[in-house]
Amino acid sequence: MTRITEELIRKRAEHNDGVLATLEEVSLHQLNIEKIEGLGQLCKHLRILYLQSNLISKLENIHKLKELEYLNMAVNNLTKVQNLQRCESLQKLDLTVNFLDKAGLLSVQSLQQNEHLSELYLLGNPCAEWSGYRQFVVGTLPQLRKLDGKQIPPSESITARQVLPSLQQLLRKELLDEGIDPDAAAEVEDDSLGSEDIPETGYRDETGEMKRPWCPATRLLEHRETQAQAAEAEARRKAQQKSYCNPDDAKPVLREDFPTILEGEEVRQKNEGQWSFSLLESADGSAVELDVEIGRYMDTSLVKADVQPSFVRLLIRVCHAPA
């Protein structure tokens, strides 16, 4: 069994330089994963998550992914749809080829809170063989625009809502005849309710800025966010400070790439290589010029630059001839 760990996600986040804090898409398919875990804590800004072709039997631990728009859970072992109620941004959900039967069809109602959900895929599940399947799903989830890849015209949506009560009665009767309790089958979990999370009180406006009302919940949210950012910045500062020190021979640490700078972290001037440099305004005042004396014959492949609006970094690799 493969577990979802920080190391695994970093390996799958090479397209984002292994940085998890800003990771928006990750593919964890075909890894024999049996349980969803850690994603909400490690990469809260995920927008696209591929978990298809695994061995996952339960949807769980996803409620912290508030920006998740597309979740692919095709070819797993799911029997219910649950614990997605707090994924407010979810637009597309793929549950193709799982094990949702007629009883599991009742759990689809848990997606009614996902008001932005427009595409749902349930093909290959036993429930799709039920005669009233499509009308039941379309009637239960009026926000859908496409089911199993097929558009839902307004006329179909209206008809489905009209026949939904009779389909619900029919489904309950069939389940009772089969010895299945429909009320128990309709029960779903919402794992966000058992957490210490405080529901988001605000919204993002057209510029992307978070707008929150002034209330006790907002104060707690902002306090926790500030604490978390400060703790991350302090941990990074201590780690970098430790890495800069080399008590054995006082030589700079050999670096392969730039260290990560967290959001809100203070950027300080450093000169680990003790290079002579100047940082002056250009003669015409249109730019700031950084001049580092690295030697006339140094190969440019040994110099890497990172130019940002508020700072600039150089990584210079020096090759020493053997003694």
Side-chain angles (χ1 to χ4, degrees), residues 122-137:
L122 289 169
L123 277 177
N125 287 274
C127 65
E129 299 177 4
W130 185 53
S131 58
Y133 153 73
R134 184 173 176 87
Q135 284 189 314
F136 182 91
V137 175

PDB file of all heavy atoms in Angstrom, residues 122-137:
ATOM      1  N   LEU A 122     -20.636   9.199 -13.593  1.00  0.00           N
ATOM      2  CA  LEU A 122     -20.944   8.003 -12.807  1.00  0.00           C
ATOM      3  C   LEU A 122     -21.027   6.744 -13.673  1.00  0.00           C
ATOM      4  O   LEU A 122     -21.429   5.683 -13.184  1.00  0.00           O
ATOM      5  CB  LEU A 122     -22.267   8.194 -12.054  1.00  0.00           C
ATOM      6  CG  LEU A 122     -22.245   9.194 -10.879  1.00  0.00           C
ATOM      7  CD1 LEU A 122     -23.654   9.491 -10.410  1.00  0.00           C
ATOM      8  CD2 LEU A 122     -21.400   8.667  -9.735  1.00  0.00           C
ATOM      9  N   LEU A 123     -20.649   6.855 -14.932  1.00  0.00           N
ATOM     10  CA  LEU A 123     -20.687   5.688 -15.815  1.00  0.00           C
ATOM     11  C   LEU A 123     -19.813   4.565 -15.257  1.00  0.00           C
ATOM     12  O   LEU A 123     -18.771   4.806 -14.662  1.00  0.00           O
ATOM     13  CB  LEU A 123     -20.194   6.061 -17.209  1.00  0.00           C
ATOM     14  CG  LEU A 123     -21.198   6.700 -18.166  1.00  0.00           C
ATOM     15  CD1 LEU A 123     -20.510   7.073 -19.475  1.00  0.00           C
ATOM     16  CD2 LEU A 123     -22.367   5.766 -18.435  1.00  0.00           C
ATOM     17  N   GLY A 124     -20.265   3.334 -15.453  1.00  0.00           N
ATOM     18  CA  GLY A 124     -19.491   2.193 -14.990  1.00  0.00           C
ATOM     19  C   GLY A 124     -19.798   1.779 -13.570  1.00  0.00           C
ATOM     20  O   GLY A 124     -19.243   0.791 -13.078  1.00  0.00           O
ATOM     21  N   ASN A 125     -20.663   2.538 -12.881  1.00  0.00           N
ATOM     22  CA  ASN A 125     -21.130   2.147 -11.559  1.00  0.00           C
ATOM     23  C   ASN A 125     -22.421   1.345 -11.690  1.00  0.00           C
ATOM     24  O   ASN A 125     -23.212   1.587 -12.609  1.00  0.00           O
ATOM     25  CB  ASN A 125     -21.382   3.389 -10.688  1.00  0.00           C
ATOM     26  CG  ASN A 125     -20.105   4.056 -10.220  1.00  0.00           C
ATOM     27  OD1 ASN A 125     -19.543   3.684  -9.199  1.00  0.00           O
ATOM     28  ND2 ASN A 125     -19.636   5.038 -10.990  1.00  0.00           N
ATOM     29  N   PRO A 126     -22.677   0.413 -10.781  1.00  0.00           N
ATOM     30  CA  PRO A 126     -23.922  -0.369 -10.862  1.00  0.00           C
ATOM     31  C   PRO A 126     -25.175   0.498 -10.869  1.00  0.00           C
ATOM     32  O   PRO A 126     -26.176   0.140 -11.493  1.00  0.00           O
ATOM     33  CB  PRO A 126     -23.854  -1.242  -9.602  1.00  0.00           C
ATOM     34  CG  PRO A 126     -22.392  -1.387  -9.318  1.00  0.00           C
ATOM     35  CD  PRO A 126     -21.777  -0.080  -9.714  1.00  0.00           C
ATOM     36  N   CYS A 127     -25.122   1.665 -10.207  1.00  0.00           N
ATOM     37  CA  CYS A 127     -26.303   2.522 -10.143  1.00  0.00           C
ATOM     38  C   CYS A 127     -26.710   3.031 -11.516  1.00  0.00           C
ATOM     39  O   CYS A 127     -27.888   3.344 -11.756  1.00  0.00           O
ATOM     40  CB  CYS A 127     -26.059   3.694  -9.197  1.00  0.00           C
ATOM     41  SG  CYS A 127     -24.774   4.845  -9.754  1.00  0.00           S
ATOM     42  N   ALA A 128     -25.760   3.135 -12.444  1.00  0.00           N
ATOM     43  CA  ALA A 128     -26.064   3.652 -13.782  1.00  0.00           C
ATOM     44  C   ALA A 128     -26.935   2.698 -14.578  1.00  0.00           C
ATOM     45  O   ALA A 128     -27.492   3.069 -15.617  1.00  0.00           O
ATOM     46  CB  ALA A 128     -24.773   3.931 -14.536  1.00  0.00           C
ATOM     47  N   GLU A 129     -27.073   1.444 -14.099  1.00  0.00           N
ATOM     48  CA  GLU A 129     -27.905   0.464 -14.793  1.00  0.00           C
ATOM     49  C   GLU A 129     -29.368   0.549 -14.371  1.00  0.00           C
ATOM     50  O   GLU A 129     -30.231  -0.075 -15.002  1.00  0.00           O
ATOM     51  CB  GLU A 129     -27.367  -0.942 -14.523  1.00  0.00           C
ATOM     52  CG  GLU A 129     -25.929  -1.143 -15.010  1.00  0.00           C
ATOM     53  CD  GLU A 129     -25.396  -2.513 -14.660  1.00  0.00           C
ATOM     54  OE1 GLU A 129     -26.168  -3.333 -14.104  1.00  0.00           O
ATOM     55  OE2 GLU A 129     -24.203  -2.772 -14.920  1.00  0.00           O
ATOM     56  N   TRP A 130     -29.651   1.297 -13.306  1.00  0.00           N
ATOM     57  CA  TRP A 130     -31.038   1.448 -12.856  1.00  0.00           C
ATOM     58  C   TRP A 130     -31.819   2.282 -13.864  1.00  0.00           C
ATOM     59  O   TRP A 130     -31.312   3.273 -14.391  1.00  0.00           O
ATOM     60  CB  TRP A 130     -31.064   2.105 -11.480  1.00  0.00           C
ATOM     61  CG  TRP A 130     -32.431   2.193 -10.875  1.00  0.00           C
ATOM     62  CD1 TRP A 130     -33.320   1.179 -10.702  1.00  0.00           C
ATOM     63  CD2 TRP A 130     -33.066   3.370 -10.377  1.00  0.00           C
ATOM     64  NE1 TRP A 130     -34.470   1.632 -10.109  1.00  0.00           N
ATOM     65  CE2 TRP A 130     -34.342   2.984  -9.903  1.00  0.00           C
ATOM     66  CE3 TRP A 130     -32.686   4.702 -10.273  1.00  0.00           C
ATOM     67  CZ2 TRP A 130     -35.239   3.884  -9.338  1.00  0.00           C
ATOM     68  CZ3 TRP A 130     -33.569   5.605  -9.712  1.00  0.00           C
ATOM     69  CH2 TRP A 130     -34.837   5.202  -9.251  1.00  0.00           C
ATOM     70  N   SER A 131     -33.036   1.908 -14.126  1.00  0.00           N
ATOM     71  CA  SER A 131     -33.827   2.541 -15.191  1.00  0.00           C
ATOM     72  C   SER A 131     -34.048   4.029 -14.966  1.00  0.00           C
ATOM     73  O   SER A 131     -34.109   4.806 -15.919  1.00  0.00           O
ATOM     74  CB  SER A 131     -35.181   1.831 -15.326  1.00  0.00           C
ATOM     75  OG  SER A 131     -35.896   1.880 -14.093  1.00  0.00           O
ATOM     76  N   GLY A 132     -34.155   4.464 -13.722  1.00  0.00           N
ATOM     77  CA  GLY A 132     -34.406   5.884 -13.449  1.00  0.00           C
ATOM     78  C   GLY A 132     -33.166   6.664 -13.082  1.00  0.00           C
ATOM     79  O   GLY A 132     -33.265   7.798 -12.596  1.00  0.00           O
ATOM     80  N   TYR A 133     -32.009   6.072 -13.361  1.00  0.00           N
ATOM     81  CA  TYR A 133     -30.733   6.649 -12.917  1.00  0.00           C
ATOM     82  C   TYR A 133     -30.540   8.099 -13.359  1.00  0.00           C
ATOM     83  O   TYR A 133     -30.323   8.994 -12.536  1.00  0.00           O
ATOM     84  CB  TYR A 133     -29.582   5.778 -13.426  1.00  0.00           C
ATOM     85  CG  TYR A 133     -28.269   6.499 -13.619  1.00  0.00           C
ATOM     86  CD1 TYR A 133     -27.488   6.894 -12.536  1.00  0.00           C
ATOM     87  CD2 TYR A 133     -27.801   6.796 -14.912  1.00  0.00           C
ATOM     88  CE1 TYR A 133     -26.284   7.559 -12.721  1.00  0.00           C
ATOM     89  CE2 TYR A 133     -26.595   7.458 -15.096  1.00  0.00           C
ATOM     90  CZ  TYR A 133     -25.850   7.835 -13.999  1.00  0.00           C
ATOM     91  OH  TYR A 133     -24.664   8.497 -14.190  1.00  0.00           O
ATOM     92  N   ARG A 134     -30.598   8.348 -14.654  1.00  0.00           N
ATOM     93  CA  ARG A 134     -30.258   9.686 -15.152  1.00  0.00           C
ATOM     94  C   ARG A 134     -31.240  10.735 -14.634  1.00  0.00           C
ATOM     95  O   ARG A 134     -30.817  11.803 -14.167  1.00  0.00           O
ATOM     96  CB  ARG A 134     -30.217   9.694 -16.678  1.00  0.00           C
ATOM     97  CG  ARG A 134     -29.776  11.050 -17.245  1.00  0.00           C
ATOM     98  CD  ARG A 134     -29.568  11.021 -18.749  1.00  0.00           C
ATOM     99  NE  ARG A 134     -29.243  12.346 -19.247  1.00  0.00           N
ATOM    100  CZ  ARG A 134     -28.004  12.862 -19.314  1.00  0.00           C
ATOM    101  NH1 ARG A 134     -26.971  12.137 -18.919  1.00  0.00           N
ATOM    102  NH2 ARG A 134     -27.791  14.084 -19.773  1.00  0.00           N
ATOM    103  N   GLN A 135     -32.521  10.450 -14.695  1.00  0.00           N
ATOM    104  CA  GLN A 135     -33.497  11.427 -14.222  1.00  0.00           C
ATOM    105  C   GLN A 135     -33.358  11.662 -12.715  1.00  0.00           C
ATOM    106  O   GLN A 135     -33.528  12.790 -12.239  1.00  0.00           O
ATOM    107  CB  GLN A 135     -34.915  10.960 -14.552  1.00  0.00           C
ATOM    108  CG  GLN A 135     -35.297  11.128 -16.020  1.00  0.00           C
ATOM    109  CD  GLN A 135     -36.766  10.851 -16.260  1.00  0.00           C
ATOM    110  OE1 GLN A 135     -37.309   9.862 -15.769  1.00  0.00           O
ATOM    111  NE2 GLN A 135     -37.418  11.726 -17.006  1.00  0.00           N
ATOM    112  N   PHE A 136     -33.030  10.615 -11.972  1.00  0.00           N
ATOM    113  CA  PHE A 136     -32.854  10.752 -10.531  1.00  0.00           C
ATOM    114  C   PHE A 136     -31.700  11.695 -10.218  1.00  0.00           C
ATOM    115  O   PHE A 136     -31.828  12.600  -9.387  1.00  0.00           O
ATOM    116  CB  PHE A 136     -32.604   9.375  -9.901  1.00  0.00           C
ATOM    117  CG  PHE A 136     -32.461   9.404  -8.407  1.00  0.00           C
ATOM    118  CD1 PHE A 136     -33.573   9.243  -7.585  1.00  0.00           C
ATOM    119  CD2 PHE A 136     -31.226   9.601  -7.804  1.00  0.00           C
ATOM    120  CE1 PHE A 136     -33.444   9.282  -6.193  1.00  0.00           C
ATOM    121  CE2 PHE A 136     -31.080   9.643  -6.427  1.00  0.00           C
ATOM    122  CZ  PHE A 136     -32.202   9.480  -5.618  1.00  0.00           C
ATOM    123  N   VAL A 137     -30.554  11.503 -10.877  1.00  0.00           N
ATOM    124  CA  VAL A 137     -29.383  12.336 -10.614  1.00  0.00           C
ATOM    125  C   VAL A 137     -29.618  13.778 -11.061  1.00  0.00           C
ATOM    126  O   VAL A 137     -29.314  14.730 -10.339  1.00  0.00           O
ATOM    127  CB  VAL A 137     -28.135  11.759 -11.307  1.00  0.00           C
ATOM    128  CG1 VAL A 137     -26.943  12.692 -11.133  1.00  0.00           C
ATOM    129  CG2 VAL A 137     -27.808  10.378 -10.762  1.00  0.00           C
TER     130      VAL A 137
END
